[in-house]
Amino acid sequence: MKIEHASIIVTGANRGIGRALVERFVAHGASRIYALARTAQDLAGVVALDPSRIRAVQADVTNPSDLAHAASAAKDVTLVVNNAGVLDFGTVLEAEPATFRRNFDVNFYGVLNTAKAFAPALTANQGALINVLTVVALASMPGLGVYNASKAAAWSLTQSLRADLSKRGVRVFSVFPGPVDTDMLRGVDMPKTAPVDVANAIIAGIQAEQEDIFPDPMSQQIYSAWAADHKAVERKFATM
Ligand SMILES: NC(=O)c1ccc[n+]([C@@H]2O[C@H](COP(=O)([O-])OP(=O)(O)OC[C@H]3O[C@@H](n4cnc5c(N)ncnc54)[C@H](OP(=O)(O)O)[C@@H]3O)[C@@H](O)[C@H]2O)c1
């Protein structure tokens, strides 16, 4: 897939990996980027990166009518990046039902809502959908149990979307980052990859038509271990 001259949607574009993706898409010659965020005012700094090519669009991914509105304003879109996400710490037996709802609303239903809203334009333009998951979608870390479950569900959803959309000529990419240095893991003391490096690796993966993208050294290492012996990774994560 080419980034040059592409017309791109990024959800959760106001900070973190989403903002880094917008910046790198501009650098790679995208012709139009629709930066989506829950609060359009939060996008002023992102739009300032290149006001001629970046357009701020208000869209909460849990709200299908926001996404329908965004889709009607972006019929030229060729790439849609499902990046918005939330993470709550805690084990599945202790987490409140509201915590499950919040993580599933954004990380699962948000991905589904966005895919459904933009599927017609992506079909018309023979484009691609990129779902940002996480390496812990492959095996669960109990302290991130709710988040893991929502992202594992999103991984399954991604595979179904890939099967369905491929019949319409739309490519579907899945991205499995390891720890990234954004607000999401602020205060967690561990090695993390810079968002700009993750954004560059995602773009390289899309350009190389790599369906499953592991965009940092830790995710690549975990994927190799998981591919060799998924039960060993499950047992190791269970102790973390
Ligand atoms: N950081 C990591 O270590 C890591 C690792 C693996 C995967 N990921 C995934 O990478 C993606 C980006 O994460 P990040 O690290 O950049 O996190 P972040 O800095 O916390 O940013 C999360 C983004 O998602 C947006 N968002 C949350 N709920 C939303 C909603 N209902 N509608 C629209 N936007 C919403 C946030 O907007 P507001 O500013 O309005 O809250 C923000 O722009 C997520 O899907 C995350 O799960 C992150």
Side-chain angles (χ1 to χ4, degrees):
M1 294 293 306
K2 282 181 69 176
I3 305 301
E4 203 180 2
H5 305 309
S7 177
I8 304 175
I9 295 276
V10 180
T11 68
N14 52 306
R15 58 193 173 100
I17 297 170
R19 185 190 163 111
L21 278 168
V22 172
E23 188 197 324
R24 298 316 299 155
F25 282 137
V26 168
H28 279 80
S31 56
R32 162 87 54 217
I33 299 161
Y34 300 92
L36 272 56
R38 283 195 277 203
T39 309
Q41 292 92 311
D42 288 351
L43 289 162
V46 178
V47 172
L49 293 168
D50 189 336
S52 66
R53 286 190 281 166
I54 303 170
R55 195 168 289 175
V57 180
Q58 188 280 329
D60 184 324
V61 298
T62 67
N63 185 342
S65 67
D66 280 359
L67 293 163
H69 193 253
S72 69
K75 292 204 168 72
D76 60 337
V77 70
T78 52
L79 292 180
V80 173
V81 186
N82 252 317
N83 166 75
V86 293
L87 180 156
D88 286 301
F89 294 95
T91 63
V92 289
L93 289 178
E94 285 160 3
E96 297 293 334
T99 304
F100 277 91
R101 276 196 291 274
R102 184 174 116 91
N103 282 257
F104 274 80
D105 277 353
V106 179
N107 299 339
F108 177 79
Y109 288 107
V111 171
L112 178 61
N113 293 337
T114 306
K116 287 177 86 163
F118 290 100
L122 288 178
T123 303
N125 302 329
Q126 296 293 278
L129 179 71
I130 296 101
N131 290 347
V132 181
L133 306 167
T134 163
V135 77
V136 291
L138 300 179
S140 189
M141 283 186 190
L144 302 173
V146 181
Y147 174 75
N148 282 161
S150 66
K151 288 287 191 174
W155 168 218
S156 176
L157 174 68
T158 301
Q159 294 170 63
S160 294
L161 287 168
R162 184 174 286 148
D164 290 348
L165 288 172
S166 70
K167 295 179 194 128
R168 304 186 192 182
V170 177
R171 301 292 312 272
V172 176
F173 296 87
S174 18
V175 183
F176 300 85
V180 186
D181 194 5
T182 67
D183 294 340
M184 189 167 271
L185 287 188
R186 180 176 288 171
V188 178
D189 186 19
M190 65 191 304
K192 297 173 203 166
T193 302
V196 67
D197 293 340
V198 170
N200 279 329
I202 292 171
I203 289 171
I206 296 168
Q207 288 173 320
E209 306 269 348
Q210 204 182 314
E211 258 181 16
D212 294 335
I213 301 170
F214 292 84
D216 57 277
M218 194 179 292
S219 65
Q220 288 155 13
Q221 205 183 337
I222 291 169
Y223 175 66
S224 297
W226 181 84
D229 184 352
H230 70 275
K231 290 302 289 181
V233 174
E234 179 187 330
R235 281 192 288 267
K236 185 170 178 201
F237 279 12
T239 65
M240 296 171 97

